[in-house]
Amino acid sequence: MKFMGFREYINQIDEEGLLRKVEIEVSKNLEIPGILKEIEPTPVMFNHVRESEFRVIGNVFCTKNVIASYFGVTPADLIPMLSKAISERSEPEVVSRAPCQEVIESGVDLDNLPILFHCEKDGGNYISSAVVITRDPDYGQNMDFHRAMQFSKGKFSTRIVRGRHFHKFLEKNGELDVAFCIGNTPNILIAGATSVDIGVDELQIANALEPIKVVKASSVDLLIPAEAEFILEGRVYLEEKHSEGPFVDLTETYDTIREEPVFEVKKITHRKDAIWQALLPGALEHKILMGMPREPTIFNKVKEAGVKCLDVNVNPGGCSWLHAIVQIDKKTEEDGKKAIFGTFTGHRSCKHVFIVDKDINIYDPLSVEWAMATRFQGDTRMIVKNKEPGSSLDPSAEPSSKLTTKIGFDLTKPLVVKGKSFDIAEFPKVDLNKYF
Ligand SMILES: Cc1cc2nc3c(=O)[nH]c(=O)nc-3n(C[C@H](O)[C@H](O)[C@H](O)COP(=O)(O)O)c2cc1C
């Protein structure tokens, strides 16, 4: 299998003419995020950042197509690929010298890093692209994502949702060594976003997706991705809290201010001429990374419900979290409803699910809406589940309890057609070159 680090990937998209470059000086405060949002999903490198010696790159992995092409597969191959990597995890190779430690800074001054200030009402400069590695004496290493808001030259407050494995480790230990790793490839990013059993080291999932090398961090006893651009090592304290937020969440709305654990940075290492990976909150890249790891879990639960599942799209229009579009090969009239229940089991935060036939393009919202318009009847093909625990991200869920009403829409056509045909009429295929 090929091995391609973040740096090689950037060089490759540059050679292919897919990377835009900004040579004029730009600010990490609002300007870089504004440009990235305007030009999304095109990757952009900022070669001169006013406040920092380091370059910034953003919009690197914004679409399923880009991620699939990184792995050399098609988007439909991603679900089986990720399922296989979760079940057939493998140990990364441990090396003693690594690019992420080419430079070991003698002191810590976060103001020297291009930590972006994204939107006007944000509570501070934020790291949003870091995978966070930590270790519990019994469970071993864990890797997930935690945004971090800078509030001094050496400290962040970091959002750790209750129930996350990192939160469980923190409750058990009170404080923990951590490594925030920035500048990563999709195997590491996707693995960090998966929710697997406690005790599973997600770096092994990353390695099964595409082999990686790991190295011992310079000041803490953790194995970190050797090819990363920056590593921020230090300690997170459960009881030492600082306000965190406001910050834009997955739904593109503002999350509230909370008291969250402090992350004290004790050591910074990086590559020579390191590149800072930006990841816009709530934007396409954030969405794709959140939604994609839920697709195999939905796929498997729909299959377990006895339905032939063909593909799943936790689509960006549904914030890549609250909606799922599930394509099935319908064999019985009950399959649509079984697939609805399977989806809600496979993804607890899902609020609306749409079940479609194999002739519907689940990546095209127009095609799914067409199925709803022509194949759906609300009295017989809809399942309403009143007031169930939903997503904390949904602004419309009940604010204190997060209770929400979930709905499943069976947009499949009946197996026995009584009236008009449900099929799209086909026009003849022609070769346009013959005429123009
Ligand atoms: C880009 C991105 C940002 C995220 N930010 C946070 C965050 O700030 N806090 C948090 O608790 N989870 C965040 N998550 C979600 C978790 O990292 C993710 O659900 C992870 O799978 C949880 O891992 P665990 O199963 O090991 O607990 C984020 C996910 C992504 C993809």
Side-chain angles (χ1 to χ4, degrees):
M1 214 179 196
K2 72 182 173 11
F3 175 81
M4 185 161 40
F6 188 67
R7 199 51 86 92
E8 287 81 42
Y9 180 73
I10 293 170
N11 290 340
Q12 184 184 304
I13 58 172
D14 191 16
E15 276 163 25
E16 288 169 356
L18 301 172
L19 178 68
R20 305 229 21 208
K21 285 178 259 180
V22 174
E23 300 298 344
I24 61 168
E25 191 181 85
V26 285
S27 174
K28 69 177 183 180
N29 298 314
L30 301 170
E31 194 172 17
I32 291 176
I35 298 164
L36 286 172
K37 185 67 189 163
E38 193 68 30
I39 206 166
E40 191 188 35
T42 305
V44 185
M45 175 85 92
F46 300 92
N47 281 328
H48 299 282
V49 179
R50 185 164 309 136
E51 300 84 359
S52 176
E53 67 179 278
F54 299 107
R55 291 174 290 167
V56 172
I57 192 165
N59 290 347
V60 191
F61 304 109
C62 283
T63 66
K64 257 189 170 179
N65 279 334
V66 166
I67 290 178
S69 78
Y70 172 88
F71 289 114
V73 300
T74 67
D77 296 326
L78 289 171
I79 292 180
M81 200 177 93
L82 186 51
S83 290
K84 189 163 179 267
I86 291 171
S87 58
E88 295 174 21
R89 300 181 297 276
S90 54
E91 291 279 354
E93 180 190 347
V94 183
V95 293
S96 54
R97 287 167 60 85
C100 69
Q101 294 173 338
E102 278 169 351
V103 179
I104 300 183
E105 295 277 347
S106 54
V108 171
D109 184 352
L110 297 174
D111 289 339
N112 292 335
L113 300 177
I115 306 176
L116 303 186
F117 187 85
H118 295 82
C119 297
E120 279 300 346
K121 293 181 191 153
D122 289 3
N125 299 345
Y126 263 91
I127 298 182
S128 48
S129 68
V131 293
V132 182
I133 294 178
T134 189
R135 179 198 297 279
D136 172 84
D138 302 316
Y139 289 117
Q141 284 211 170
N142 184 68
M143 175 169 76
D144 55 10
F145 280 86
H146 298 281
R147 69 192 188 207
M149 187 187 91
Q150 186 196 343
F151 67 83
S152 73
K153 283 183 180 298
K155 286 183 176 177
F156 295 92
S157 51
T158 181
R159 170 76 174 131
I160 309 174
V161 176
R162 286 189 74 82
R164 297 266 188 266
H165 294 158
F166 183 22
H167 195 268
K168 289 188 173 148
F169 286 14
L170 254 191
E171 279 185 317
K172 193 163 162 260
N173 297 279
E175 48 185 84
L176 284 170
D177 285 340
V178 293
F180 277 58
C181 314
I182 295 139
N184 293 299
T185 40
N187 48 344
I188 293 170
L189 297 169
I190 294 168
T194 56
S195 276
V196 284
D197 292 340
I198 193 161
V200 169
D201 177 3
E202 285 91 349
L203 275 172
Q204 296 183 2
I205 299 175
N207 192 64
L209 282 169
E210 190 193 29
I212 56 166
K213 294 183 176 123
V214 293
V215 69
K216 193 170 167 306
S218 81
S219 67
V220 288
D221 185 19
L222 295 169
L223 290 171
I224 53 171
E227 299 287 323
E229 295 284 323
F230 288 88
I231 309 289
L232 274 53
E233 301 174 6
R235 212 154 164 83
V236 171
Y237 308 92
L238 181 65
E239 293 307 333
E240 190 185 332
K241 299 250 168 76
H242 187 278
S243 62
E244 188 275 326
F247 196 53
V248 177
D249 71 25
L250 193 61
T251 61
E252 297 166 69
T253 60
Y254 264 104
D255 208 346
T256 51
I257 302 174
R258 299 181 186 85
E259 290 296 308
E260 290 287 320
V262 166
F263 164 35
E264 182 187 4
V265 182
K266 296 187 175 173
K267 187 58 83 190
I268 299 174
T269 77
H270 56 84
R271 283 174 176 256
K272 281 186 210 137
D273 75 344
I275 304 172
W276 187 263
Q277 185 176 20
L279 191 148
L280 296 187
L284 276 179
E285 194 172 18
H286 185 186
K287 288 193 162 78
I288 224 77
L289 288 172
M290 279 295 281
M292 213 162 44
R294 304 294 136 173
E295 293 168 354
T297 64
I298 294 174
F299 188 96
N300 291 333
K301 290 292 171 194
V302 171
K303 219 169 102 184
E304 276 173 33
V307 180
K308 187 157 188 222
C309 189
L310 300 175
D311 203 0
V312 179
N313 185 16
V314 177
N315 61 316
C319 305
S320 293
W321 198 243
L322 303 175
H323 285 181
I325 305 163
V326 178
Q327 189 186 50
I328 63 168
D329 184 3
K330 182 170 162 174
K331 304 281 188 207
T332 77
E333 274 315 326
E334 291 309 303
D335 280 4
K337 285 190 179 139
K338 285 186 191 163
I340 288 171
F341 286 113
T343 303
F344 286 135
T345 315
H347 179 31
R348 300 267 169 204
S349 294
C350 184
K351 184 165 75 165
H352 298 143
V353 49
F354 307 88
I355 311 295
V356 299
D357 291 304
K358 57 185 172 192
D359 61 338
I360 301 299
N361 178 358
I362 63 171
Y363 300 100
D364 176 4
L366 288 183
S367 179
V368 178
E369 189 178 351
W370 177 84
M372 185 143 192
T374 61
R375 298 181 178 180
F376 174 71
Q377 284 293 314
D379 57 344
T380 54
R381 297 303 197 94
M382 184 164 77
I383 289 176
V384 180
K385 287 151 70 74
N386 270 325
K387 301 282 175 253
E388 297 214 341
S391 170
S392 61
L393 294 169
D394 179 3
S396 77
E398 245 169 50
S400 52
S401 62
K402 299 297 166 208
L403 288 178
T404 195
T405 295
K406 299 186 174 181
I407 308 183
F409 301 88
D410 178 2
L411 311 184
T412 59
K413 58 187 175 185
L415 291 170
V416 179
V417 179
K418 294 198 182 116
K420 276 188 81 180
S421 162
F422 287 90
D423 297 330
I424 287 192
E426 281 198 25
F427 279 84
K429 296 264 175 288
V430 293
D431 176 7
L432 283 183
N433 292 326
K434 254 173 79 182
Y435 307 95
F436 299 103

